[in-house]
Amino acid sequence: SPIPVFFGEDQGRYLVTIARDKVDWFLTERIKDTGVFAPWIGVTGGRELKLGEARAISLEALGQAHESWFPAFMGN
């Protein structure tokens, strides 16, 4: 499952956003010799979140899930 890679909470993971035309430069010139694992995971912008080859989900649905889980958990 890609979820642990995308959203793992250990201290060694960071999310970096880079202009699309700079991705190859970043991965080959800046990261290549550092030993840092830096996979491309997706594109920002628009009304959906799509990570790699996973299916897209709307930002509206993500927002609703984020805002509603706790009241549902508390029985409201």
Side-chain angles (χ1 to χ4, degrees):
S1 166
I3 299 301
V5 173
F6 294 154
F7 299 107
E9 295 185 16
D10 66 351
Q11 296 301 310
R13 294 201 174 120
Y14 298 90
L15 184 63
V16 177
T17 58
I18 301 168
R20 188 175 268 181
D21 65 333
K22 301 287 186 194
V23 171
D24 288 337
W25 167 83
F26 182 77
L27 295 175
T28 59
E29 299 298 320
R30 298 292 292 164
I31 294 295
K32 129 180 128 168
D33 295 327
T34 66
V36 172
F37 177 64
W40 172 87
I41 63 169
V43 176
T44 60
R47 305 185 109 169
E48 297 178 324
L49 174 66
K50 182 166 177 27
L51 299 172
E53 298 301 318
R55 71 175 177 84
I57 184 168
S58 75
L59 296 181
E60 182 179 344
L62 285 171
Q64 202 277 330
H66 174 73
E67 296 295 329
S68 67
W69 82 268
F70 193 69
F73 178 75
M74 297 302 288
N76 294 333

